[in-house]
Amino acid sequence: MAEPRSRRSVLAVPGSNPRFVEKARRLDVDAFFLDLEDAVAPLEKEDARTTAVKALADGGWGGKVRSVRVNDVSTEWAYRDVVTVVENAGAHLDALVLPKVTAARDVHWLDTLLTQIERAMGLPVGRIGIEAQIEDAKGLVNVDEIAAASPRLETLVYGPADFMASINMKSLVVGEQPPGYDTGDAYHHVLMRILVAARAHGLQAIDGPYLQIRDVDAFRRAAGRTAALGFDGKWVLHPLQVEAANEVFAPSQEDYEHAERILDAYAHATTVDRRGAVMLGDEMLDEASRKMALVVAGKGRAAGLRRGRSSESFEPQD
Ligand code: GLV
Ligand code: MG
């Protein structure tokens, strides 16, 4: 399987605002999406499609993962968002973000429509991925069937703002603990549920936005929590949040090099020495250590980390 694309930082760009689109080109994010949904007023929806198509077709996005968030399947805008964007800029698009997914049938709808457009336009069938946002109680209850709904799926994305509204959470501060809840993490179940469903189906898990955009320390704390659980990245809404996301969701250089050393040592042990367990310094390694190291090394490689001189070669030890 190809290594997944890096999505440590996923920039939300209002699709109706050419000035923001221009700014987004210069930011050092792994991925971005041009938003046709909640950041765009109903009367601006049509113009936003045109702006998004032009932004994609003009190029200049470097190696960033290019997505568009269309409106959800219950709206009158959704089908035309997909048709306009993919017919006119399908070759310059990596994925569509589908918000407010409540069941597998929402993903089936988008998968089928994409296939029809790709065929009609002579685009490679199946290249454009789908990112499914889980942002209400129904979506969470059905998250397993959603995660299994299409080979186009690349990520499950947690939508905290809509989710908090959907379950009537008593707070208006997106991403922070609701006042009055003083034991544990009020979001742990939701985050873990999404993460486990994503992993069970080989998808990336992406955390949604943190809305207090000037409080970078708070962003870093919120991102640090989901990164620690295993999430692959987080939406960013402002240039101030970009560096923090890129740092928090990449392994440290030290952890990355350590993971590469574990892989080397374990490969040597199992293939040359024919042993299933081996010592690396004071650390005992077995097959489970290899799997954990593979995750850290994979995230590090995807984030562009490379081995320093000190860890280039592995010296077998007794
Ligand atoms: C994002 O779409 C959210 O609802 O938080
Ligand atoms: Mg939302």
Side-chain angles (χ1 to χ4, degrees), residues 138-150:
K138 262 202 194 124
L140 193 67
V141 166
N142 292 330
V143 69
D144 288 320
E145 65 162 55
I146 292 168
S150 163

Side-chain angles (χ1 to χ4, degrees), residues 12-18 20-21 33-52 68-72 75-77 81 85 99-100:
V13 187
S16 55
N17 191 324
F20 282 168
V21 171
F33 68 89
L34 304 170
D35 194 10
L36 305 182
E37 201 220 17
D38 281 357
V40 177
L43 294 176
E44 295 290 320
K45 297 277 186 199
E46 242 178 84
D47 283 356
R49 288 182 196 128
T50 315
T51 306
V68 169
R69 177 164 75 165
V70 297
N71 286 279
D72 80 79
T75 67
E76 64 271 41
W77 300 297
D81 288 344
V85 169
K100 302 181 178 69

Side-chain angles (χ1 to χ4, degrees), residues 8 207 210 216-229 231 233-235 241 244-245 248-249:
R8 295 167 303 169
D207 188 13
Y210 187 85
V216 181
D217 287 342
F219 173 87
R220 201 178 271 277
R221 268 198 310 278
R225 280 197 291 268
T226 48
L229 283 182
F231 272 67
K234 183 168 175 65
W235 281 11
Q241 296 179 335
V248 169
F249 286 96

